[in-house]
Amino acid sequence: MGRMTLRLAGATTALLVWLAWPAAAQQVTRIENGDTIVVDGVGKVRLIGIRSVDESPLGMSPNQRPPARQDPPSPTSLPPTAVSGGIKMKPNRPSRDFLTSMLLGRTVKLQRDPLVGEKDRLAYVFLENGTLVNAEMLRQGVARGDFSREFAHEQEFKRIEADAHQAGTGVWAIAPK
């Protein structure tokens, strides 16, 4: 029984340390992408419940029209291309741009979620004024919810995303015709 009590006490202590990670506010040194930041003293941190809506700089799309067929193919003809692509000089990156303007060089507090655990360094990111950045991204329509795993603020995030969708905010805006 003594061994089990020690294990339970050790697990409780580990949980309290884990939930407090990191207790002190720290500076954001880099925006890795639309849902990942780099925090001084911590490293890469992914925002819980957020999925970036940024475009890739490499654009791949199916061909609009198949190449003209030659029968029989000439010896120098190339096989038909199934996918074409290119490099976008200015890809649309609303998630990354939002994080850059809101967090880069600023002091934040990180909070882990007890339902998620330490997997993938996922955290809630708070500004010094108490703003929860993860939720604000959904509210502004610069990210979508990532509900692939259970987390404590899941229902709140679903409601915020639904409100942004209903209001036509950010990525939910109707494109002009």
Side-chain angles (χ1 to χ4, degrees):
M1 199 66 142
R3 208 177 251 180
M4 188 169 180
T5 304
L6 278 175
R7 275 190 188 158
L8 185 56
T12 303
T13 303
L15 178 63
L16 291 174
V17 168
W18 170 78
L19 287 173
W21 163 82
Q26 294 168 302
Q27 188 175 32
V28 176
T29 57
R30 191 170 81 228
I31 306 301
E32 189 74 17
N33 57 47
D35 55 23
T36 306
I37 62 175
V38 178
V39 178
D40 188 37
V42 177
K44 287 184 186 180
V45 176
R46 257 192 93 235
L47 280 69
I48 293 175
I50 296 300
R51 189 167 39 105
S52 172
V53 293
D54 294 351
E55 292 178 347
S56 170
L58 299 175
M60 300 298 281
S61 62
N63 268 350
Q64 301 300 322
R65 189 177 55 168
R69 182 179 167 132
Q70 292 180 335
D71 281 326
S74 67
T76 60
S77 68
L78 296 173
T81 305
V83 176
S84 65
I87 298 175
K88 297 176 187 172
M89 298 309 279
K90 288 200 128 203
N92 188 18
R93 294 184 174 171
S95 301
R96 185 179 187 146
D97 293 345
F98 182 84
L99 288 176
T100 300
S101 66
M102 189 171 231
L103 296 180
L104 190 60
R106 301 221 16 220
T107 301
V108 297
K109 288 186 180 180
L110 304 175
Q111 180 184 12
R112 289 192 174 158
D113 188 301
L115 299 177
V116 173
E118 295 186 46
K119 196 173 190 176
D120 302 326
R121 287 203 170 173
L122 292 165
Y124 298 108
V125 178
F126 290 90
L127 294 175
E128 289 181 298
N129 67 7
T131 300
L132 175 55
V133 175
N134 312 48
E136 193 60 28
M137 291 182 75
L138 294 173
R139 191 172 286 110
Q140 299 294 323
V142 295
R144 290 194 173 146
D146 178 5
F147 306 112
S148 60
R149 65 174 56 92
E150 188 178 19
F151 58 97
H153 290 278
E154 183 176 357
Q155 294 309 311
E156 176 188 358
F157 281 20
K158 284 181 178 180
R159 182 188 50 75
I160 292 169
E161 183 178 50
D163 290 349
H165 187 260
Q166 180 76 25
T169 306
V171 296
W172 305 112
I174 298 172
K177 293 183 180 185

